[in-house]
Amino acid sequence: METKIILKDSDIPKTWYNIISDIPNPPQPVLHPGTGKPITPADLLPLFPMPIIEQEVATQRFIPIPEEVRKIYALWRPTPMFRAERLEAAIGTRSRIYYKYEGTSPAGSHKPNTSIPQAYYNKMSGRKRIATETGAGQWGSALALAASFFGLEAKVYMVNISYQQKPYRRMLMESYGATVVASPSKDTNSGRQILAGDPDSPGSLGIAISEAVEDAATREDTSYALGSVLNHVLLHQTVIGLESQEQMRIANDYPDVVIACCGGGSNLAGLGFPFLRDKIAGSRDPRIIAVEPSSCPTLTKGVYAYDFGDTAKLTPLVKMYTLGHDFVPAGIHAGGLRYHGDSPLVSQLYHEGLIEAQAYPQTVVFKSALTFARSEGLLPAPESAHAIHSAIVEAKKADEEGKEKTILFNLSGHGFFDLAAYDDYLAGRLVDHEHPESRIREALGRLPKTGG
Amino acid sequence: METKIILKDSDIPKTWYNIISDIPNPPQPVLHPGTGKPITPADLLPLFPMPIIEQEVATQRFIPIPEEVRKIYALWRPTPMFRAERLEAAIGTRSRIYYKYEGTSPAGSHKPNTSIPQAYYNKMSGRKRIATETGAGQWGSALALAASFFGLEAKVYMVNISYQQKPYRRMLMESYGATVVASPSKDTNSGRQILAGDPDSPGSLGIAISEAVEDAATREDTSYALGSVLNHVLLHQTVIGLESQEQMRIANDYPDVVIACCGGGSNLAGLGFPFLRDKIAGSRDPRIIAVEPSSCPTLTKGVYAYDFGDTAKLTPLVKMYTLGHDFVPAGIHAGGLRYHGDSPLVSQLYHEGLIEAQAYPQTVVFKSALTFARSEGLLPAPESAHAIHSAIVEAKKADEEGKEKTILFNLSGHGFFDLAAYDDYLAGRLVDHEHPESRIREALGRLPKTGG
């Protein structure tokens, strides 16, 4: 048994996997925020180039990956899969734990899997500039990288609290040539409105999305790019799971449990959807687990309803698990998981019982992160550490039940930009934020009345 | 042609390559700082466990890598080699540029190649604790990682200016469980003496070495560990070059020029020595280039003489290129290259004309680093960026001469901990520090009078 299961450049998938072709029920329509009617491709054209819109609504099972994208993927893909023997020994489990490591990408996370094709399609469609938001900065770095590869300008609205906590992420984006501002910013109407009410707003992904959408909608040369949630983003991330299936075949194993952290849902979908295909087909029966922070418990405590993707109600309405579009989660260190909603596809599959969800507070997550770092070596991103924690919990549960399971999780990124969080944890400064149910109920009371 | 040339876990070298078996002249003896006589293994026993001392003086060509070390190497080795096609296009060269990427290690640089076996041999020899110094923090992180793997305590004396500039490196070491202090510190006599004279001393590797050596020499359970300079360290790093030779064979190519940055010399030796073996044997004629910063021009402006490895004159005397043991280089961002001396083996081979040396100021180095980041994606460590700059210079020179060369350089680590430096560069705050010849002459005037 080798420690790593590696693949060659030529093993990079030639197609993305589109789960829409296999899900039991069709996706719920996306609604226009003004009319409440299903939106048309033309409605989206101010925001996205046509090839992206086509992928958003595509129904075929496999969608070809352009050769130029595969060539850039080869800068870090296929990513390695590890058998975590040292972690297994450290926690004394009889289960087999594997992890797919996406932190080898230049931006340090799985996000370039979609930023590269998004920049590619924008370039092909003649757009010159991309506006986007970023939470922890992983997506912003990935988009900045992709823009630099294709000679596009990038403007990144970075959630204020992350902008303050993670200056290195801002500097990385700037090193790739992007322009970065703290959100809410003075550069947009929606930003200025929020600043007027709360000059010290910590910001949120919802607010930053409003700003980036407004920027793109008001400039003809500019597209909007999203790092999670939307169908085409999840589609691009399936390279993770497709490679993992091949790696599992090489290891002559198959996961009983597939685990990923879940903010907007892209890394969960990326790893999980190809395995979910097996589950839907009935050929295998893996459990797929989405892990979220207790302080932003979208799947575990939200409702399945139509809501806006952003705070300023600029985006279309999507049917998803949500805590309410103006829910502002506490400033936890897993900034990438601080989103009020969830991908419509992940939400639907969770609603239909095909995906499970778990929520954990950050202190136990950091404890597991250090157990991992001190056994496997890699320092995980706080987001990814949620998946590690769940994998450890599942392994211990299997031990208690006298079972031996195969557990696969996605180590979606490294934590080199998150060391202030580890410093806080080691110094005992990290606290858990559970949201009182009343605050969640309050935010849910402000859901739009539209649609299903 | 694939973008990456990758190897399997089973391709991790089974032996290290010891260049002492092949160099034209025997190494110069190491002298006792008190008596001026050659030191014996017994003299070194307070600092190092016996297996390390044996490797320091070994003469056989290949030394077996313990299975337990190879197993841990497999957490990141073999490391990938890339054909830098996007960089070649960006600078418009006709030459072929390859780079070996060591930043995939958990600590982010090539340093764990030696910290792992050092911790292993200390553990096997019953030592409980390791003291060491670190400049930029790359070595300290690597040692902290290795100590955590083998259940050893680690105490790291971190050069003060890096401690201030790179808090994330300190936090990474602490995340692995190490104790880190800024050097000069109040924990040792040598530290206290320097603080008495200069309470705001920026520190230097020479000072930090004094502290770590004193710590180890005065505690029986404690060894000293060095991240560069010594023969056994260079030996461990040869896995880089041995893998690279195999990867070059796969690419059906061979480097005309082999380039690495050079502080103490370990990453240069690691990549270069296996290729130097071909050169000494006469079967090939690669140029091996050591690249150093203009502000610490050890090979290019120092002298080849016996000198102390540290500022407080606690270490044995070694024959090496040196700027004088009390030379304190400017606080440049490539902290890992701020050493007054150089590995005795690298020094001897440079003295004998088998290695070349180049020195560059930091602003042009950062310019090349960004050219690389924006084409190949990876953000390089400032140290490694010296090698990138030299590779670009060599490629352009070949173009001017109408030649097409094969250039291989070592990307020894990533720059995720060095973003403040990139921020300074982008904001125009980075300046070049050339040392006036008079200051170098002055420091050289204080060389010890001992020996050859």
Side-chain angles (χ1 to χ4, degrees), chain B residues 320-398:
Chain B
M320 62 179 175
Y321 276 84
T322 177
L323 294 163
H325 54 270
D326 59 2
F327 180 84
V328 177
I332 56 163
H333 277 289
L337 307 182
R338 293 175 72 246
Y339 185 55
H340 70 274
D342 227 310
S343 139
L345 277 174
V346 167
S347 294
Q348 178 175 343
L349 291 160
Y350 175 64
H351 191 66
E352 292 174 1
L354 287 162
I355 292 176
E356 300 172 34
Q358 298 173 349
Y360 297 105
Q362 64 181 350
T363 50
V364 294
V365 165
F366 272 92
K367 184 161 186 278
S368 290
L370 283 186
T371 300
F372 181 84
R374 292 175 185 182
S375 55
E376 294 291 317
L378 293 165
L379 191 86
E383 291 82 1
S384 321
H386 286 74
I388 295 171
H389 182 66
S390 171
I392 292 176
V393 167
E394 290 294 326
K396 289 186 173 164
K397 206 162 65 184

Side-chain angles (χ1 to χ4, degrees), chain B residues 177-196:
Chain B
T179 304
V180 187
V181 291
S183 167
S185 79
K186 291 183 175 156
D187 297 0
T188 65
N189 283 327
S190 32
R192 285 186 291 267
Q193 268 171 32
I194 292 183
L195 285 175

Side-chain angles (χ1 to χ4, degrees), chain A residues 194-272:
Chain A
I194 292 185
L195 284 175
D198 178 6
D200 299 321
S201 166
S204 71
L205 272 176
I207 295 168
I209 292 173
S210 295
E211 294 208 274
V213 166
E214 182 185 326
D215 179 319
T218 53
R219 286 188 57 159
E220 229 174 79
D221 62 346
T222 301
S223 276
Y224 170 60
L226 196 65
S228 193
V229 176
L230 298 184
N231 299 349
H232 67 274
V233 178
L234 276 57
L235 173 79
H236 298 155
Q237 291 294 352
T238 57
V239 288
I240 304 172
L242 293 168
E243 288 178 8
S244 296
Q245 288 187 311
E246 180 60 25
Q247 286 163 314
M248 277 280 141
R249 267 191 287 274
I250 292 171
N252 200 21
D253 209 339
Y254 191 93
D256 300 300
V257 192
V258 176
I259 302 170
C261 65
C262 187
S266 81
N267 111 72
L268 172 79
L271 177 66

Side-chain angles (χ1 to χ4, degrees), chain B residues 369-423:
Chain B
L370 283 186
T371 300
F372 181 84
R374 292 175 185 182
S375 55
E376 294 291 317
L378 293 165
L379 191 86
E383 291 82 1
S384 321
H386 286 74
I388 295 171
H389 182 66
S390 171
I392 292 176
V393 167
E394 290 294 326
K396 289 186 173 164
K397 206 162 65 184
D399 290 333
E400 278 163 24
E401 291 167 0
K403 291 179 185 157
E404 225 175 82
K405 295 213 169 152
T406 297
I407 298 168
L408 168 64
F409 72 86
N410 197 18
L411 188 66
S412 55
H414 62 63
F416 292 150
F417 294 106
D418 306 285
L419 277 154
Y422 284 92
D423 202 42

Side-chain angles (χ1 to χ4, degrees), chain A residues 3-4 6-7 9 74-75 77 82 86 106 148-149 168 170 175-176 374-375 377 414 416-417 419 423, chain B residues 2-4 6-7 9 74-75 77 82 86 106 149 168 170 175-176 374-375 377 414 416-417 419 423:
Chain A
T3 299
K4 288 191 299 298
I6 55 167
L7 301 170
D9 285 13
L75 291 173
R77 304 207 71 84
F82 291 85
R86 297 178 55 86
S148 127
F149 280 175
Y168 276 28
R170 189 249 312 153
S175 294
Y176 289 132
R374 292 176 185 182
S375 54
H414 62 63
F416 293 151
F417 294 106
L419 276 154
D423 202 41
Chain B
E2 308 222 319
T3 298
K4 289 189 300 299
I6 55 167
L7 303 171
D9 286 13
L75 291 173
R77 304 208 71 83
F82 290 85
R86 297 178 56 87
F149 280 175
Y168 276 27
R170 190 249 311 154
S175 294
Y176 289 132
R374 292 175 185 182
S375 55
H414 62 63
F416 292 150
F417 294 106
L419 277 154
D423 202 42

Side-chain angles (χ1 to χ4, degrees), chain A residues 243-320:
Chain A
E243 288 178 8
S244 296
Q245 288 187 311
E246 180 60 25
Q247 286 163 314
M248 277 280 141
R249 267 191 287 274
I250 292 171
N252 200 21
D253 209 339
Y254 191 93
D256 300 300
V257 192
V258 176
I259 302 170
C261 65
C262 187
S266 81
N267 111 72
L268 172 79
L271 177 66
F273 281 3
F275 291 99
L276 208 45
R277 182 186 175 208
D278 296 346
K279 188 183 181 87
I280 293 169
S283 62
R284 295 282 195 170
D285 193 25
R287 293 169 54 208
I288 315 286
I289 303 177
V291 192
E292 52 187 25
S294 304
S295 57
C296 194
T298 317
L299 294 173
T300 50
K301 296 202 176 164
V303 295
Y304 187 46
Y306 271 99
D307 197 4
F308 295 100
D310 71 327
T311 307
K313 312 186 203 178
L314 295 178
T315 69
L317 289 163
V318 291
K319 183 95 180 257
M320 62 179 174

